[in-house]
Amino acid sequence: MRILVSNDDGIDAPGLSALAGAVGDMGEVTVVAPASPQSAAGHAITLHHPLTVKQVELPGLAGKAYSVDGRPADCVRLAIKNILTEPPDLVISGINAGANVGINVFYSGTVAAAAEAVMCGIPAVAMSLQIRGDSGNFARAAQLCRWVLSQLPIQPGKAELFNVNIPILDPGWPVGVRVVPQSTAGIEDIYHEDSDSNGLPVFRLGKKFGFLGPTEGTDIEALAAGYITVTPLRVDLTDHQYLPRLSSIDWADPPELTCD
Ligand code: MN
């Protein structure tokens, strides 16, 4: 099996090398990751400058590794279209330093890299570790990610997207695995007002936050309770339940436009 590993924390992130090392027994691993940290880049791609690809050494990796001075989605699409000689059978993104649950899935470059693979027709898994402070035990998390990968129903050629989160690795955790839906609760975060060197007001997003709605039965609740969360995601954002209601409207002909 050919495996592409990417992330959003950048080519030097400890979670990337830990993950690439842990899946080395699953097949031929190639790493293509952003040259610099790209957390919260979402599904951005680069249009305004050409992408530079550099081959790099990644400790403990038998396969090749490349950095790209672009976004996570750039890395995956460029890897599939140009860098790799053959398309991968599986794309794994992570291990992100920080959980990607709830609406963070929309901001996440980790999830975007995996979603990009699915858009290219390749199954993909986004993997994130909830961390406390600035550090996480990526070596232990990588063992758990490898174990989850061995159980996920990944089918070659079936472009399905899985979002996996590992809880903080306190003693006794994880307590189990929960398959849960993504929370849609808004984030109750704060912009702190400050001023720059010219006295102009600037705003910094606060780190502490809560949620603006209930999180029972979702990925947020399960992760906070110490479970590994697994959520199948879809690239299709269509509200399929709403479709019939909207299409039942008797849509009139568009108005005739007058030119002036
Ligand atoms: Mn990140």
Side-chain angles (χ1 to χ4, degrees):
M1 179 158 68
R2 289 182 300 273
I3 301 168
L4 171 66
V5 176
S6 191
N7 75 346
D8 79 355
D9 293 332
I11 192 79
D12 297 322
L16 179 74
S17 47
L19 180 61
V23 300
D25 66 319
M26 289 173 64
E28 186 191 318
V29 178
T30 307
V31 171
V32 181
S36 61
Q38 298 292 328
S39 291
H43 212 115
I45 56 169
T46 301
L47 297 180
H48 300 295
H49 69 82
L51 296 168
T52 302
V53 180
K54 286 183 183 159
Q55 193 168 348
V56 297
E57 288 293 324
L58 216 60
L61 181 73
K64 289 177 176 171
Y66 304 87
S67 73
V68 176
D69 65 339
R71 306 294 197 170
D74 288 320
C75 292
V76 169
R77 66 202 330 265
L78 188 65
I80 293 168
K81 291 171 195 291
N82 291 69
I83 301 171
L84 303 174
T85 46
E86 282 183 279
D89 303 300
L90 173 65
V91 174
I92 315 171
S93 179
I95 302 168
N96 188 59
N100 277 309
V101 286
I103 63 167
N104 284 309
V105 161
F106 280 90
Y107 308 121
S108 169
T110 307
V111 175
E116 185 63 38
V118 168
M119 292 176 192
C120 296
I122 296 158
V125 186
M127 313 203 94
S128 305
L129 170 65
Q130 187 179 30
I131 57 172
R132 186 185 287 126
D134 290 328
S135 62
N137 190 328
F138 289 102
R140 285 181 62 204
Q143 289 177 40
L144 291 165
C145 287
R146 174 69 186 83
W147 173 76
V148 172
L149 283 167
S150 71
Q151 302 198 51
L152 279 176
I154 296 162
Q155 296 176 58
K158 203 157 184 208
E160 289 170 329
L161 177 58
F162 303 96
N163 188 29
V164 174
N165 281 275
I166 309 291
I168 290 175
L169 293 175
D170 281 338
W173 281 22
V175 295
V177 177
R178 282 271 188 275
V179 175
V180 276
Q182 175 201 341
S183 167
T184 56
I187 296 173
E188 195 179 29
D189 49 12
I190 304 160
Y191 286 94
H192 300 283
E193 190 169 355
D194 202 351
S195 51
D196 68 6
S197 54
N198 298 318
L200 292 168
V202 291
F203 297 87
R204 265 180 249 281
L205 192 55
K207 270 191 177 176
K208 283 186 180 167
F209 58 80
F211 298 100
L212 295 167
T215 58
E216 284 78 26
T218 69
D219 53 358
I220 288 174
E221 184 192 50
L223 189 71
Y227 290 92
I228 294 173
T229 66
V230 181
T231 305
L233 297 178
R234 304 170 70 152
V235 167
D236 181 2
L237 296 177
T238 310
D239 185 340
H240 286 274
Q241 282 182 314
Y242 201 96
L243 263 183
R245 257 173 72 198
L246 204 56
S247 52
S248 71
I249 294 174
D250 189 12
W251 293 91
D253 289 337
E256 215 155 287
L257 303 178
T258 51
C259 299
D260 51 23

